[in-house]
Every structure is written in structure tokens, then in C-alpha cells.
Amino acid sequence: MISLRICALTGFALLLLACATTPKEGLYQALGEGPGIASLVNEAVHRSHADPRFGELFSEADLDNLRSQLNSQICELADGPCVYEGLSMAEAHSGMQISRAEFNWFVEHTRDAMTALGYSVGTQNRLLARLAPMRAEILSDTDMPAQMPEEPVDPLGMGD
Amino acid sequence: MPVPNFTTAICTFAMCAACVGNAWADSGALLATSGLRSIEGSAGGGLTTWALIAGHAEQGEYALGAGISRAVTDGFALTSASAYWSQGNRLEVSIGRQSLDLDALVEIGATDRTAVAMDLYGVKYRLAGDPVYASFGQFSLGAVYKNNRDAALVRTIGADRASGIDAYLAWSKMWLDGPGHRNWLLNLTLRATQAHQLGLTGFDDNHTLSAEGAVGVFLNPNWVVGAEYRNKPDRLPNVAEDDWADLYLAWFPNKRWAVAVAYLDLGSIGGVDDQHGWFASVQYND
Ligand code: HEM
């Protein structure tokens, strides 16, 4: 028993050590700054646009606007010198009825785009971890409703 | 008493999954959030059960799948086959069959039986959360009914019963961009169990609590290395039972297939000490 536990602990300790010694580079730099982000956005939007599972969603969209907003949003998210001035994620995606499956496909296209462009797994994870918290606002429905119901809730039927 | 052939049932289930599969092939859930098939039939690692719901089904989708694994130690070999059906990343239903070869016990003349078999019927329900997107992770509640098919052997060993129910509360959390800018999967399960050695040596009349956990680090989206630890009750007076541990490497080449290998440390089994060995498992998702 002891041998395996020691082995496991050493393995993880080594891993953590290896991580701790990775040189610290800002995410914006790791993404290749403005030009890197632009090519990433192009590739991710291109892949989503070409995916028939999304139907008309992307072909009917204003892709130039989408690309430029995504550029400044990701730049800001990566601590780059930009300020995102577009719509809130809830506003931008309201009425699209985006499902969890669609959200996952979009994430997969973004990851595949980054792999195709040669970004390291670490850089991919750093960016995706910053995009993940936006999911609740983008989905049409989640486990927990984002807002309270408009009408007052009266579970005991005491009203009126 | 007529004995249904469970291996046939599982194969039929798997083949049905394969033919009707295309309707559901477009499942949305992310790669590897289906987990592997644990030896007890529910989504998990190998030795431990996780909160993940098997399959890649999202809201309004179904998933089917099956898997088989084999653990070989110096004295024993355990084959586990299982199949699942899951709905909307909410509910998982599984059936499984375990068969333990008793080579080590036959050798020392402790028994003339060459194998002991057990059937497993599991359900798991996602209570709340999401392993990737909820900050608190995912909580699931589950139960497994296990029926050891060799009641006579179980009685000889000194166990109270040949069948029992495990109930568990499981938690899973994918830690995005954790140490090393890697995604880490953390699992913890609290189990109320009657089983001795999973039930392969029978069951107690009363439940007792045990805990199990697993960590894994995604080297990339397709490869995970990690470790599991499973606390085991040790309640049979004459045969010691030890906690189990393993180190595993899992490969998720795509959403259909998952493969894992592990190095096992299972301690004392059936009176035979120091059972180390290897584990391999394959899962097919639809
Ligand atoms: C983390 C994930 C996502 C991020 C960060 C994101 C970001 C954005 C941004 C910044 C805009 C532009 C807002 C503006 O016009 O001011 C936008 C619009 C849009 N997004 Fe997303 N989005 C995400 C997920 C998705 C998903 C999953 C889909 C579809 C499946 C989607 C489809 C669209 C469409 C169709 C538009 C409208 C483009 C237009 O006509 O202007 N987005 N998104």
C-alpha cells in the first residue's frame, strides 16, 4: 500500500513543481497580442459559421461586428490594452435560444481553432477558463434562473 | 430457478445502442465529461464512482453505452461488464456483471469454485450543478443494488447476506486552468454500504459509511493522468479487507471511445495479502 501512495504523492508533487516553475507570461502576450487574437477570432467564427448544426444563426449574423466585438472582448479579458464596449452577453444572445449543446459546440470550435493555430494547451485553458463564467448569461435556460420571475411567487396559494 | 443470462443482456443492450445510436450521435456535452465505466457500472473512474452522468447527452437528449474492464492481480482477476442509459445529463441507469476468478484460493485449496459472480443494478441522479460550469461543481445521488450469485460461498465466508444496496452522494468538479494551466478533475463520494469487498464476499445486515476520491489532470483534452483512493469497510471477522488505490491513465480519443489503464494496489483479498496488479477498461458511448 505504502509504495503506491508514495509513488502517487511524488508524481503529483513533481507535477506541481513543474507547474510552479513555468515562466509567467501574460495571457495577452501568450495569445500573440492583437494580431494573434484577430486570427483566433477569425478561425473560431469561421468554424462556427461553417457548422451546419447552428442552422442560419451565423449566416444571418453581422459577422464583421461579431469579429470586431470579440476581438476587443478577448483582448480585454486577456488583460490587454482594450475596453470592450459591445453589448452585455445577455443582451447579445437574447432571443437566440442558445442551448447547452450549442454552447459546447462553440467552445469546441474555439478550442479546435486554437489547436489549429498552434496555441499551447496551457494558453487554451487560460482563455477558456475566462470565457466559461459567461455561459450562464448566454444560455437561454440554466438550472438556476438568472433573474427572478416577473410575477410574485405564491407557492402556498394564499394570495387573492 | 431460471437464471437470465446477463452477459447476453448486456451485449444486446450494447448492440441496440450501436444501431439506434445515430439519432443521438450529435450530443452536446464536452469530451470526457462522460467519465469512464467504473467496475460497479456507474460513471466514474475505475475503482471509484463519480458524480458525472454517463454519456454526452444534454437537455432533451439520450445516451447509451457499454464498457468492459479487467483487473488482474497476482492471485485474482475481476472482469466487469456494464451498460448504461442516461437522459438529459440528469439520470443514469446501469446494469453490470462482475466475475471474479478465484485462482489464488483454488491453489491453496480454500475452495473448489473457480469464480464468483455478481449482478449490479444502478441509478444515479444529478441533484444540482455542472462539473465544468457551476462554481460548486456537480452533486449526484446514487444507489446500486448488488446481488452475489453464489449465496453458498458467501455464507461459508461468514457474511450475513448475498445481496445489498449501496447508496452514495458524489461530487465532481472540473477545475479549469488549475495548477500548470491544466484542467483538473476532482471527485469525492460518500457511500453507505453493506458490502464486503464490493459484495464479492457478501454483505452485512447493516450499512456503514465509506469514502472514495479521485483526482485527475488533463494533460490535454484527450489525456488524463490521476489517482484514485477507495476507503473500504473491513467487517468480516475472518478475512481482512484493505483500502484500494490506483494510478491511472485515461484516453478520450473522441466522444465514442474511452480507454483507461491503471496500476492497482488492492491490499489483502480473501486472505491473500499484497494484491497488486493492472487494470484496463474500454467504454463505448453512443
Ligand atoms: C463564451 C462564449 C461566447 C462569447 C464570449 C460570445 C461573445 C459575443 C459577442 C462579444 C457578441 C457581439 C455583441 C455585440 O454585438 O455587441 C456576440 C454576438 C453573437 N453571438 Fe456570441 N458569444 C459566445 C457564445 C455564443 C454561442 C454559443 C453562440 C451560438 C451558438 C453565439 C452566437 C452569437 C451570434 C449569432 C451573435 C450575433 C452577431 C450579430 O449579428 O451581431 N455566441 N457574441
Side-chain angles (χ1 to χ4, degrees), chain A:
Chain A
M1 291 299 273
I2 289 167
S3 62
L4 179 56
R5 253 171 274 165
I6 287 175
C7 180
L9 286 175
T10 331
F12 278 99
L14 281 175
L15 230 146
L16 288 174
L17 208 79
C19 311
T21 51
T22 317
K24 285 269 167 288
E25 186 190 27
L27 178 54
Y28 182 65
Q29 286 71 35
L31 288 172
E33 310 198 341
I37 292 173
S39 57
L40 162 60
V41 166
N42 276 342
E43 187 62 28
V45 169
H46 170 73
R47 283 167 187 257
S48 299
H49 180 69
D51 184 341
R53 292 176 298 182
F54 290 118
E56 302 294 300
L57 194 61
F58 284 96
S59 39
E60 284 173 355
D62 177 351
L63 292 187
D64 286 335
N65 170 62
L66 177 61
R67 275 188 286 257
S68 83
Q69 297 292 8
L70 274 171
N71 268 297
S72 67
Q73 188 189 36
I74 291 175
C75 167
E76 183 188 76
L77 215 57
D79 308 318
C82 316
V83 180
Y84 173 64
E85 284 171 336
L87 302 170
S88 78
M89 288 299 94
E91 287 166 337
H93 303 94
S94 73
M96 289 184 199
Q97 296 288 316
I98 294 175
S99 69
R100 290 154 201 231
E102 287 174 319
F103 186 88
N104 290 336
W105 298 331
F106 186 80
V107 170
E108 283 164 2
H109 284 313
T110 307
R111 192 182 267 289
D112 291 347
M114 294 185 85
T115 304
L117 293 170
Y119 289 102
S120 72
V121 174
T123 302
Q124 296 181 24
N125 290 340
R126 290 168 81 183
L127 178 61
L128 291 173
R130 294 186 190 195
L131 293 173
M134 300 178 178
R135 176 180 182 259
E137 265 193 79
I138 291 167
L139 287 190
S140 64
D141 118 76
T142 57
D143 271 2
M144 287 159 297
Q147 314 119 294
M148 292 297 287
E150 303 262 315
E151 308 219 343
V153 182
D154 184 13
L156 299 176
M158 305 284 281
D160 300 317

Side-chain angles (χ1 to χ4, degrees), chain B residues 49-64:
Chain B
T49 290
W50 299 351
L52 303 178
I53 299 293
H56 295 98
E58 283 284 7
Q59 297 155 298
E61 300 175 329
Y62 298 91
L64 280 170

